[in-house]
Each structure stands twice: as structure tokens, then as C-alpha cells.
Amino acid sequence: MPRGRYSLHDPHDHTPLGEEHFQCAPGPSGWRYVARTTTPSGAPAGSVDLAVDERGRPIRLELRTAHWQVRGAALDGVTWVRTDPAGAHATEGTVRAHAFTGTSPAFLVALSRLLRLTPDSPETRVRLVAFTGPSLAPLTTDQSWSLVNSETHATDNGPLVVDEYRVGDLSTGETHSVHLAGDVVLAAPGIELEELDTPPNAF
């Protein structure tokens, strides 16, 4: 069960956004990722709890910030409820989308599991619902994903396969790279892996 720490920053101006202290593990029904987030000063900022089934579909999502929380799952696309902690301002949403996304590295791992791309796979387009910022406001976005390289590196704990994905924002045309090793993000825009106590799990 890998445990570690990611640092998060704005991918455009590199403003620090805080850290995500995480642990993740495969289970009998799929894969689960839990984390607590902190501000740049180290104060608690919220939490992430994402579980996907063996096919990579989100069966439970719980996001929390200081003033908002979201619960969602795959149902007729993806469905969610966004509310304040007291439950006074709850709103529901459903979109014909493949999965959720956001600032947490968990979403990149989960989506790679859902797509199951190979270097020979054609570019794949996906529709996602993103929850970002302290308000966790939903935004539907379209992306393209392709696996451009897969390399095996020798380590003290055995072979480590690193996959490089090219991800495009279909609304802006911008593209970037995401590097994954099993269920850990090694590098992606706005994400840096700072600590990892055990090797990643291989799917």
C-alpha cells in the first residue's frame, strides 16, 4: 500500500497550492485512493476518497474542502451531489461523461485504468466532470489521451514500468505529458511526487 506526498501548484504560474498526503491500494473490487490535503502553510484543507471498480469506473467519490463537499459515482454517466457541510445548499448533477477529474493525482491514475491504453491504441477522447478549487464547482471538459511511451526501469525492488501519456484539452488545443508508474503519478502539470515509502502497485 503506497503512502506518500505530492506537492500541488498552479500549472501556469507555479503558485503553490499545498500538498496531498495519500495512500492507495488495489482491492477485491478495484482500487482505492484516500488523501488529506493541506494549504501551503500546512493547515488542513480537505480530503479525497476515490474508489474505482475493476474496470476503472468511479464507484465512489468524496471530496471535501473547508466549505464544500461532493459525493459522486458512475450512474447514467456520472452523478454527484455538491453541498455545504451543513447540507443547506445541496445541488445534484448528472452528465453523460466517462469519469471525474480534478487537481488530485488520483484522477489521473483512475482514468488511465479506465482507458487501458496501449502504445498501439488510437488517440482516445473522453468527457469528464472536473471539480476544482475550494468551491468544488463542477465543469464538464473534453480531453484526448494517448499512450506515447512505456519503459521498464530496473530498481532495487524489481522492474518499474513508467508510462508516458499525452493529454490534450480539446477546448484549447493545449497538450501536456503525464508520467505514471502503476498507481502513482511521477510527474504531471501541477503535480510533483515528493515522497513515496513503498513501490507503486502494478495494475
Side-chain angles (χ1 to χ4, degrees), residues 1-2 20 55 76 161 184:
M1 180 183 293
E20 192 160 302
R55 294 173 58 186
D76 293 329
V161 179
V184 171

Side-chain angles (χ1 to χ4, degrees), residues 123-126 141-144 168-174:
E123 182 178 88
T124 300
R125 297 188 174 196
V126 289
T141 181
D142 295 299
Q143 294 181 348
S144 64
D169 184 328
L170 296 181
S171 64
T172 64
E174 295 180 348

Side-chain angles (χ1 to χ4, degrees), residues 99-176:
F100 299 108
T101 191
T103 55
S104 174
F107 295 113
L108 298 175
V109 176
L111 190 53
S112 73
R113 180 67 172 166
L114 176 68
L115 298 178
R116 299 174 184 262
L117 299 176
T118 68
D120 297 327
S121 298
E123 182 178 88
T124 300
R125 297 188 174 196
V126 289
R127 172 157 289 185
L128 306 169
V129 174
F131 297 103
T132 58
S135 66
L136 298 178
L139 174 67
T140 302
T141 181
D142 295 299
Q143 294 181 348
S144 64
W145 276 65
S146 57
L147 177 60
V148 296
N149 193 30
S150 186
E151 294 184 345
T152 301
H153 301 267
T155 72
D156 293 340
N157 298 301
L160 180 69
V161 179
V162 178
D163 293 324
E164 178 186 355
Y165 293 87
R166 182 170 57 243
V167 180
D169 184 328
L170 296 181
S171 64
T172 64
E174 295 180 348
T175 61
H176 59 267

Side-chain angles (χ1 to χ4, degrees), residues 20-150:
E20 192 160 302
H21 301 256
F22 73 95
Q23 63 185 62
C24 55
S29 61
W31 178 76
R32 187 180 180 196
Y33 176 104
V34 295
R36 58 181 179 85
T37 56
T38 59
T39 67
S41 66
S47 62
V48 180
D49 189 340
L50 174 65
V52 300
D53 64 15
E54 60 183 7
R55 294 173 58 186
R57 297 173 300 186
I59 55 176
R60 187 182 70 254
L61 169 67
E62 292 188 12
L63 299 175
R64 294 178 183 269
T65 62
H67 302 292
W68 293 96
Q69 60 189 42
V70 167
R71 293 183 178 180
L75 181 65
D76 293 329
V78 294
T79 298
W80 69 91
V81 176
R82 173 179 173 268
T83 184
D84 60 297
H89 303 286
T91 57
E92 298 181 4
T94 298
V95 171
R96 288 287 184 179
H98 296 86
F100 299 108
T101 191
T103 55
S104 174
F107 295 113
L108 298 175
V109 176
L111 190 53
S112 73
R113 180 67 172 166
L114 176 68
L115 298 178
R116 299 174 184 262
L117 299 176
T118 68
D120 297 327
S121 298
E123 182 178 88
T124 300
R125 297 188 174 196
V126 289
R127 172 157 289 185
L128 306 169
V129 174
F131 297 103
T132 58
S135 66
L136 298 178
L139 174 67
T140 302
T141 181
D142 295 299
Q143 294 181 348
S144 64
W145 276 65
S146 57
L147 177 60
V148 296
N149 193 30
S150 186

